[in-house]
Amino acid sequence: MSRQRDFRRVFRGLRFRLTISYAVLFTVLLTGVALTFRARLASGLDNQIQEELNGDWAAMKGYMRIEPVLDFGNRICSAWYYDGDDPDETTIVLDTRKIYLVADQFGNPIPDSVTHEPSVSTAYDDIGVDKPADIRKKVLEAVASPKPKIFWEDRKTSTGEPVKIRSGIVFSEGHGAPYYVAIGASYADNVKTLHAYTWIFAGVIPGALLLGSLLGYYMAGRALTPVLAVAQAAQRISGSNLSMRIPTRDAGDELDYLILTFNRMIERLEASFQQMRQFSADVSHELRTPITAIRGQLEVALFTAQTTDQYREAMFNALTDIDRLSQIVRALLLLSQAETGQIVLQKSRLNLCEVVDDLVDQFQIPAEAAGVRLTAQLPPECSAEVDRVQIERMITNLLSNALKFTPEGGAVTMSLQVEPQFIELVVEDNGRGIPTEHLPHIFDRFYRVPGQGTAPSPEQGLGLGLSFVAWIVKAHNGKIEVESTPGKGTRFIIRLPNEGVGSDTMELARQPAGY
Ligand code: ADP
């Protein structure tokens, strides 16, 4: 059963399919080339025998006359004139006379002036002398033709030897009557050459095919080996060892590109796994702190508090920590809603200046407590169609960050400017700033710029604030930018479109910056 599966896997495998495609292509190509070549060879050989016969025809015309011969009862005869002592002439004439026929226009062979026998060679007899009716037809056709007419025929001798016949008409010099003359030559050698060629190719093609397929199979195997290696390496990578990478081969080919892409994907996965791990650790830490505190407060109340004030104080502290707890839970809930696209903007037209002014007022108390000067520069009126709750959350997050990261004696400024195309909101502080390498990540979920030292600094939150800000800006079809110089301060610039806002529902999971 498993062997059957192994076979099936081999046949479905890329290597096998590549080899088969290669073999089919090879077969078509080789057969095509062989057939074309054979056709050209056949026509070349045919031309060659025709040329030969054309030459013989010209020689024959030079040595043969058709005329009355007196000592033969004054009958028309075919007479050959050549110098019997000249070996060249003799060879030419004897060669021409090997396969030949001379007949009158009615198809009857005329006598030979020397032998007084009909002018038909025995070899011509062997291939079957033309019927008088056929000869008559040819003579009529040749006489009617404006150009000299040549007839070509392929015949076979009784032993199966192939013979090509060239025939046409010749006019008697004496009285100008047309006579039918045919000469022929064997082309058995040409047929043999063609057969030999066919056999060679019939043997070579399957051999070449087998060799080519084996080579193709080997090469496909070689080309695919690294793919298998990549697959095996990829299989070893799991959630617990995401730091593993597939080694590149430095070949600079498509496979290297695939490996690189794969490694980058693992890198991103590792980063998000790391973020999730960090998040779980942060959440449990964030939750544990208020829970431990609440427990402590309750223990105090239960075991040591005696007066009503002491009870009240313990309860008050426990409530404060419960507030912090519910704040975290709310953030988590909001996050899950954001991830499932459940947050719907409730837009209404309102005066943004009033919203900003109210918030800046509310932040005056914590600002004073932190020893930071908080000011606002606002125009008298700024009408915009926005979701009040979300815009307030956005400004709150930015202001609380600015206050959190600005030391005593610093300043935070919130300004608003109305341009024809957009409304610009700027939150600027002269606090500790953000190192350049962290700037691209601050809008990522759960990202917090590491504080000085190894322990997380107490002022750090869950790293969700700016992610929400980015989402809110995006949901309003706006843009957010950040400029920061470590030690000098940070500036967040938000531009919201002045006219109209985008879709009411935003699927948060699609936001690149997280929200
Ligand atoms: P958090 O809840 O930690 O404030 P945020 O998403 O609001 O999370 O901010 C992400 C990180 O960006 C913060 O941890 C902080 O290090 C940095 N950051 C944000 N705003 C400022 C700012 N005004 N000045 C300096 N650093 C800032």
Side-chain angles (χ1 to χ4, degrees):
M1 194 63 193
S2 85
R3 179 174 291 184
Q4 210 176 353
R5 216 176 301 136
D6 278 353
F7 270 131
R8 217 175 298 150
R9 199 183 299 156
V10 168
F11 290 135
R12 283 199 191 144
L14 206 57
R15 186 179 186 181
F16 183 76
R17 282 190 280 167
L18 270 176
T19 312
I20 287 292
S21 329
Y22 188 66
V24 169
L25 189 80
F26 214 51
T27 314
V28 171
L29 258 172
L30 271 181
T31 316
V33 168
L35 288 180
T36 315
F37 196 72
R38 191 185 184 280
R40 286 195 72 95
L41 184 68
S43 94
L45 290 172
D46 202 48
N47 281 345
Q48 193 184 320
I49 186 83
Q50 287 190 6
E51 286 300 310
E52 215 175 277
L53 278 170
N54 284 340
D56 286 356
W57 183 271
M60 176 274 293
K61 275 179 88 177
Y63 294 111
M64 194 182 73
R65 307 265 181 286
I66 297 168
E67 55 189 23
V69 173
L70 290 176
D71 63 350
F72 192 56
N74 212 10
R75 277 173 63 185
I76 295 289
C77 294
S78 71
W80 295 82
Y81 294 100
Y82 64 95
D83 180 358
D85 295 333
D86 183 335
D88 284 350
E89 282 188 22
T90 313
T91 314
I92 292 170
V93 171
L94 291 183
D95 259 6
T96 314
R97 289 181 60 160
K98 263 188 201 156
I99 303 173
Y100 89 105
L101 158 78
V102 184
D104 62 17
Q105 54 186 296
F106 307 106
N108 306 311
I110 58 170
D112 183 280
S113 64
V114 178
T115 60
H116 306 302
E117 296 289 322
S119 300
V120 182
S121 63
T122 41
Y124 205 101
D125 258 346
D126 187 37
I127 61 173
V129 182
D130 310 68
K131 288 191 194 98
D134 292 340
I135 294 176
R136 270 204 299 277
K137 237 168 78 185
K138 283 188 197 168
V139 172
L140 282 175
E141 197 183 328
V143 170
S145 164
K147 280 193 211 154
K149 179 87 187 157
I150 304 166
F151 300 97
W152 293 102
E153 269 176 85
D154 290 316
R155 303 245 187 117
K156 277 208 168 97
T157 64
S158 55
T159 55
E161 193 177 341
V163 175
K164 190 165 277 297
I165 305 291
R166 184 203 197 278
S167 56
I169 53 168
V170 170
F171 292 96
S172 156
E173 281 183 8
H175 53 286
Y179 285 86
Y180 175 79
V181 178
I183 57 169
S186 157
Y187 61 92
D189 285 349
N190 290 0
V191 172
K192 261 189 225 153
T193 311
L194 217 56
H195 272 156
Y197 167 86
T198 310
W199 279 112
I200 288 171
F201 258 89
V204 163
I205 288 183
L209 214 78
L210 189 74
L211 214 81
S213 304
L214 286 177
L215 202 76
Y217 193 68
Y218 170 73
M219 277 174 15
R222 264 189 70 124
L224 291 173
T225 310
V227 177
L228 290 179
V230 170
Q232 277 162 2
Q235 264 186 1
R236 282 196 296 271
I237 298 174
S238 67
S240 53
N241 62 356
L242 275 174
S243 56
M244 253 183 85
R245 295 286 178 272
I246 302 168
T248 48
R249 299 140 56 246
D250 289 328
D253 56 6
E254 290 84 349
L255 205 66
D256 262 0
Y257 181 62
L258 181 76
I259 294 172
L260 207 76
T261 313
F262 197 81
N263 281 345
R264 283 201 191 129
M265 190 185 81
I266 304 283
E267 224 165 81
R268 287 198 295 275
L269 271 178
E270 189 187 12
S272 49
F273 259 64
Q274 180 56 34
Q275 247 182 24
M276 292 312 285
R277 266 193 223 115
Q278 185 65 43
F279 174 65
S280 312
D282 291 345
V283 167
S284 46
H285 179 260
E286 292 290 326
L287 293 179
R288 209 172 45 227
T289 315
I291 287 172
T292 316
I294 292 164
R295 189 190 167 93
Q297 311 296 345
L298 293 178
E299 277 174 356
V300 167
L302 201 59
F303 302 120
T304 56
Q306 278 154 7
T307 64
T308 320
D309 280 348
Q310 281 171 333
Y311 273 111
R312 285 177 74 90
E313 194 189 338
M315 292 298 173
F316 179 79
N317 289 339
L319 262 179
T320 313
D321 286 324
I322 285 171
D323 271 354
R324 168 121 176 104
L325 253 186
S326 49
Q327 194 189 333
I328 295 168
V329 172
R330 250 203 322 274
L332 290 176
L333 189 71
L334 206 63
L335 175 74
S336 86
Q337 284 176 339
E339 278 181 341
T340 47
Q342 288 173 35
I343 296 182
V344 178
L345 292 188
Q346 309 285 337
K347 283 180 292 180
S348 59
R349 189 152 283 278
L350 46 94
N351 185 357
L352 254 186
C353 293
E354 269 177 30
V355 178
V356 174
D357 207 27
D358 284 353
L359 284 170
V360 170
D361 270 356
Q362 282 173 33
F363 270 90
Q364 286 303 344
I365 299 165
E368 270 170 37
V372 174
R373 197 160 59 88
L374 173 62
T375 52
Q377 292 167 3
L378 307 170
E381 167 79 32
C382 171
S383 163
E385 193 162 308
V386 291
D387 181 324
R388 184 179 201 119
V389 177
Q390 302 300 345
I391 289 290
E392 279 181 352
R393 175 176 285 142
M394 176 185 90
I395 297 167
T396 304
N397 282 353
L398 290 172
L399 282 180
S400 63
N401 272 352
L403 291 178
K404 216 159 44 171
F405 300 109
T406 304
E408 207 178 333
V412 173
T413 316
M414 166 103 223
S415 64
L416 198 155
Q417 220 173 312
V418 185
E419 300 286 343
Q421 298 293 318
F422 53 83
I423 297 163
E424 190 177 79
L425 275 144
V426 177
V427 179
E428 195 172 358
D429 65 63
N430 60 1
R432 76 173 191 202
I434 304 165
T436 321
E437 69 269 25
H438 294 290
L439 275 181
H441 307 292
I442 55 166
F443 295 107
D444 293 351
R445 270 174 272 172
F446 316 121
Y447 194 84
R448 296 173 310 183
V449 177
Q452 269 83 27
T454 45
S457 59
E459 82 265 18
Q460 277 182 332
L462 282 175
L464 293 174
L466 284 182
S467 310
F468 276 113
V469 169
W471 172 71
I472 294 162
V473 172
K474 181 122 185 162
H476 284 85
N477 284 341
K479 286 212 163 75
I480 183 162
E481 278 172 27
V482 57
E483 296 162 1
S484 187
T485 314
K488 291 228 166 117
T490 308
R491 199 174 133 90
F492 286 93
I493 306 142
I494 293 156
R495 290 195 183 103
L496 300 177
N498 200 355
E499 275 300 299
V501 272
S503 75
D504 286 6
T505 311
M506 290 296 295
E507 287 184 28
L508 303 187
R510 289 199 208 130
Q511 304 307 311
Y515 297 87

